[in-house]
């Protein structure tokens, strides 16, 4: 003889935890996954959150005073490193290959495509600046300018100029460096002051 089965839908609020013992397939759930970094992860699954989102990143400094010619660009020899996450900064005076990218002297060659923030400081060494510029170059072309034109001597002649801004690097060939320009009449020294002085750096902040 057949056995009659009657299916009933329980009233709201009448299902207890004991009744749900065992596994419930994700397909039976209205929301069976969560989104992390733009990707769906099934409930009960796992995902790894990258700690590399702000890399490559570096910060360098000018280890000693450097002579800069009058009315011409001089590459600032930021030869000290506070950190270099990703190994993308060349702190030597010669072109080297970093992460398969030909990287000129004292240049940053990020090997991850994305948006980067750049910053650098230039300071005259005990001379009054009639015009002091820090210029960020991208692929050897002028990109961002920082310019002091007031001719004032501050802090006993140590006049500072900052340059900063953002750009999107292709991660395969773009390189960045800082040059200085002044019109003080003859070659003058840019103040180094070691790790506590001038700095040039960048950090990755987006895709």
């Amino acid at each position: 003889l057949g056995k009659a089965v009657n299916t009933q839908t329980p009233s709201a609020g009448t299902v207890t935890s004991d009744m749900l013992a065992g596994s419930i397939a994700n397909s039976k759930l209205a929301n069976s996954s969560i989104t992390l970094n733009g990707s769906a992860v099934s409930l009960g699954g796992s995902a790894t959150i990258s700690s590399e989102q702000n890399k490559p990143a570096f910060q360098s400094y000018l280890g000693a005073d450097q002579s800069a010619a009058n009315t011409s660009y001089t590459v600032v020899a930021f030869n000290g490193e506070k950190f270099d996450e990703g190994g993308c900064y060349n702190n030597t005076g010669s072109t080297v290959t970093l992460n398969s990218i030909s990287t000129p002297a004292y240049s940053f060659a990020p090997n991850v495509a994305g948006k980067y923030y750049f910053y650098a400081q230039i300071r005259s060494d005990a001379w009054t600046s009639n015009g002091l510029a820090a210029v960020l170059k991208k692929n050897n072309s002028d990109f961002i300018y920082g310019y002091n034109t007031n001719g004032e001597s501050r802090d006993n002649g140590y006049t500072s100029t900052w340059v900063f801004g953002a750009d999107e690097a292709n991660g395969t060939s773009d390189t960045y460096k800082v040059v200085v320009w002044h019109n003080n009449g003859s070659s003058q020294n840019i103040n180094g002051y070691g790790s506590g002085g001038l700095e040039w750096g960048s950090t990755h902040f987006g895709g």
Side-chain angles (χ1 to χ4, degrees):
L1 294 175
K3 187 175 181 179
V5 177
N6 185 22
T7 302
Q8 292 183 337
T9 301
S11 302
T14 63
V15 178
T16 66
S17 297
D18 290 338
M19 296 176 183
L20 294 176
S23 300
I24 300 175
N26 282 351
S27 60
K28 300 296 184 181
L29 301 175
N31 297 300
S32 59
S33 65
I34 60 175
T35 300
L36 295 175
N37 291 337
S39 299
V41 179
S42 298
L43 297 181
S46 63
T48 301
I49 304 299
S50 174
S51 61
E52 308 294 312
Q53 293 184 26
N54 295 114
K55 300 178 183 179
F58 83 100
Q59 184 166 301
S60 61
Y61 58 89
L62 184 61
D65 289 358
Q66 177 186 357
S67 178
N70 184 57
T71 64
S72 64
Y73 282 156
T74 299
V75 177
V76 184
F78 286 102
N79 55 356
E81 289 185 345
K82 289 187 175 180
F83 58 85
D84 183 10
E85 301 289 347
C88 295
Y89 180 67
N90 176 14
N91 68 334
T92 75
S94 303
T95 297
V96 298
T97 299
L98 300 177
N99 304 301
S100 301
I101 302 175
S102 179
T103 309
Y106 311 113
S107 296
F108 177 55
N111 64 337
V112 176
K115 300 177 180 66
Y116 289 80
Y117 180 76
F118 302 90
Y119 58 91
Q121 180 193 18
I122 301 298
R123 184 168 60 181
S124 62
D125 186 34
W127 49 274
T128 301
S129 171
N130 294 316
L132 177 64
V135 182
L136 176 62
K137 282 181 169 285
K138 177 181 181 180
N139 302 328
N140 214 36
S141 296
D142 294 1
F143 177 53
I144 304 175
Y145 297 85
Y147 195 45
N148 184 328
T149 59
N150 59 20
E152 295 179 2
S153 175
R154 299 182 178 180
D155 190 21
N156 296 318
Y158 296 98
T159 302
S160 294
T161 297
W162 283 89
V163 59
F164 47 87
D167 188 44
E168 188 161 3
N170 62 19
T172 58
S173 62
D174 287 337
T175 63
Y176 301 84
K177 64 184 176 184
V178 176
V179 300
V180 62
W181 179 97
H182 71 87
N183 63 348
N184 202 61
S186 61
S187 294
Q188 300 291 338
N189 278 348
I190 302 302
N191 183 246
Y193 202 66
S195 61
L198 305 191
E199 56 189 26
W200 147 229
S202 178
T203 186
H204 179 217
F205 69 88

